[in-house]
Amino acid sequence: MFKAIVLEKTDAGVLAEVRELADDALPEGDVTIRVDYSTLNYKDGLAITGKAPVVRKYPMVPGIDLAGTVEASSHAGWKAGDRVVLNGWGVGEAHWGGLAQKACLRGDWLVPLPAAFTAQQAMAIGTAGYTAALCVLALERHGVTPAQGEILVTGASGGVGSVAIALLAKRGYTVVAATGRLQEADYLKSLGAAEVIDRAQFAEAGKPLGKERWAGAVDTLGSHTLANICATARYGATVAACGLAQGMDLPASVAPFILRGVTLAGIDSVMAPLPARLAAWQRLVSDLDPALLGEIGRTVGLAEAIPEARRLMEGTVRGRVVVDVSR
Ligand code: NDP
């Protein structure tokens, strides 16, 4: 038997509760994992609260990521005792996920837990941090260098934003953090932000082009914010778009792209191929100070993850929430 958060669809909405499940209830897969830690990502918040239809079948065990130890494997790449990390691949959406003491997954989805991190630290990074690394790598791939100017990070106090600030600052970029929580300025500066600004200035419909400022950006908000970032990006800048915390829409004009050569780089962590995943985790190993993870991440038990998911959706959680599934 093992414990898991289980989501059921009811007439009143999504019901989330911790249940005891039998091992034979696990879905098919070639690797069985004892989960050590999972986390709450924005998508887990959407799934647990039912705020958006990210879950494709019920009952579902949420949790789009996990760090754990292989218990049994018929996959050639993994054996019992291996320490692994899972991010995405539809886990926690279409396949039972990490907010459980056990998971049965496809070995092709797994990456090795980097030796530099404990399982708890890997989940303090989680899919949010791995996505932040994908964003930073995308900016570099498009030629953005520290000498070119300021990099804007939106949703700065959230998971992706916090890790993106730390990774960019470590590489010598001048990071401007946009937040709705100016009271978190000291936290954001401790991660490496050079300046903290109010996200409100990006939140409403703006002009097709504005004064050029950003050499690059990591945007987690979408909607008017993304449109306004593109409109104020410098000639030749790259904007990495990974999120929709403000909205899924993009009410923008083509002006920044055709008049200033701005590149909009889309970032997807869920189906990213293995080489991109390994590169992102390698970047986290080389550039993320594990001491910062204590600042960024806070640990809760399995049952506490349910109310935390509601708080995440209210935008009141700072950094990352790690879930100790044994608690
Ligand atoms: P968090 O909830 O940790 O952070 C989101 C942050 O966005 C909040 O902390 C807040 O920051 C800001 N925010 C929240 N609501 C609003 C709002 N209504 N308007 C403006 N700002 C808001 O989420 P994550 O960091 O985990 O994820 C951020 C986004 O990235 C999400 O949309 C998520 O779905 C997406 N994502 C995408 C991935 C991909 O593969 N493309 C992978 C991982 C995440 P502050 O208070 O500082 O303003």
Side-chain angles (χ1 to χ4, degrees), residues 41-43 127-128 131 155-161 178-181 199 220-221 242-246 267-270 312 315 317 319-320:
N41 291 280
Y42 192 83
K43 202 182 257 179
T127 297
T131 303
S157 317
V160 176
T179 182
R181 289 180 268 176
R199 75 183 188 202
T220 64
L221 304 186
C242 74
L244 44 54
Q246 184 182 11
I267 305 299
D268 169 59
S269 69
V270 179
L312 194 74
V317 168
R320 305 267 305 129

Side-chain angles (χ1 to χ4, degrees), residues 5 33 44 54 72 80 104 141 167 199 208 211 217 223 245 271 276 290 316:
I5 294 179
I33 296 164
D44 302 317
V54 295
C104 195
R141 208 165 43 246
L167 292 178
R199 75 183 188 202
K211 188 164 180 287
S223 195
M271 304 306 286
T316 55

Side-chain angles (χ1 to χ4, degrees), residues 229-247:
I229 294 169
C230 292
T232 51
R234 288 170 66 159
Y235 194 93
T238 295
V239 178
C242 74
L244 44 54
Q246 184 182 11

Side-chain angles (χ1 to χ4, degrees), residues 43 56 87-91 93 130 134 268-272 277:
K43 202 182 257 179
R56 278 171 267 155
N87 299 105
W89 294 114
V91 173
E93 301 175 63
Y130 142 69
L134 290 175
D268 169 59
S269 69
V270 179
M271 304 306 286
R277 289 168 188 265

Side-chain angles (χ1 to χ4, degrees), residues 175-190:
V175 183
V176 177
T179 182
R181 289 180 268 176
L182 290 168
Q183 69 275 19
E184 297 292 359
D186 287 346
Y187 164 71
L188 297 169
K189 286 186 175 165
S190 77

